[in-house]
Amino acid sequence: MKLTLAIIAACLAIIGNVPYLRDVIKGKIQPHAYTWFVWTIVSAVTFFGQMAKGAGVGAIPTAASEIFTVIIFLFSLKNGFKHVTKTDTIFLIIALLGLIPWALTSDPTISVVIVVMIDLIGFIPTLRKTWKHPETENPILYSMNVSRHFLALGALQAYNIATMFHSLAMIVTNSMMTWFIMRKLNNK
């Protein structure tokens, strides 16, 4: 049952990311490169932290998503949102400074907590951008992420902060993103 949930969650990662990546390549949407850079780091640390703390097959969706995160980050450098603010840069610096305590710890739980906090800080430029310019994003990725993270929680083989914290935080933030995008689309 857990393997089935993990596979479904990984499929949702693919279903959400493929159209998003396609839209980035076509220039239909503009991801914020700072956020995707932070997410690339965070997803990798989360995956290894989940593995170290016994997530088992529950880490498969994180791995599937990480592959797309790296690719979308690379495309965001060319096709991403170009109106970067000083505040965005400050949040990027704060997020990167947060890597220092992570690098100094050898505890997977502390590492995951730190990188999830970095993830949340790194999400702020995209939240700000999407609130002001919802047309620069696609709700499919974020709504699929909400579903994926719910299923990923069910697929975990061990339940602890290191295995659960990232999915819980992503359910909240991806729900916000979906709402930010849809509120503007629904008002047209």
Side-chain angles (χ1 to χ4, degrees), residues 14-37:
I14 295 166
I15 290 168
N17 278 287
V18 166
Y20 190 90
L21 178 58
R22 181 197 66 229
D23 287 351
V24 170
I25 292 168
K26 289 182 177 181
K28 289 183 177 181
I29 57 174
Q30 301 161 342
H32 200 297
Y34 286 8
T35 299
W36 284 90
F37 175 63

Side-chain angles (χ1 to χ4, degrees), residues 145-176:
N145 281 346
V146 172
S147 300
R148 172 175 63 91
H149 282 288
F150 272 115
L151 290 171
L153 286 170
L156 294 172
Q157 292 179 308
Y159 292 92
N160 53 59
I161 293 170
T163 62
M164 296 174 59
F165 191 45
H166 184 254
S167 284
L168 293 172
M170 292 303 98
I171 289 167
V172 172
T173 53
N174 282 276
S175 294
M176 288 174 61

Side-chain angles (χ1 to χ4, degrees), residues 53-128:
K53 293 302 273 187
V57 297
I60 292 171
T62 304
S65 181
E66 173 63 358
I67 293 166
F68 283 98
T69 303
V70 171
I71 295 168
I72 291 169
F73 163 66
L74 293 173
F75 276 102
S76 77
L77 295 172
K78 179 181 178 210
N79 301 345
F81 190 70
K82 303 297 184 211
H83 307 289
V84 176
T85 67
K86 184 185 276 188
T87 304
D88 293 344
T89 303
I90 290 168
F91 281 115
L92 175 65
I93 291 167
I94 292 168
L96 293 175
L97 288 173
L99 293 173
I100 295 168
W102 163 71
L104 297 175
T105 67
S106 59
D107 183 331
T109 301
I110 293 171
S111 296
V112 169
V113 169
I114 290 170
V115 297
V116 169
M117 298 311 292
I118 291 168
D119 196 354
L120 295 174
I121 292 168
F123 216 134
I124 293 171
T126 290
L127 288 166
R128 179 200 59 81

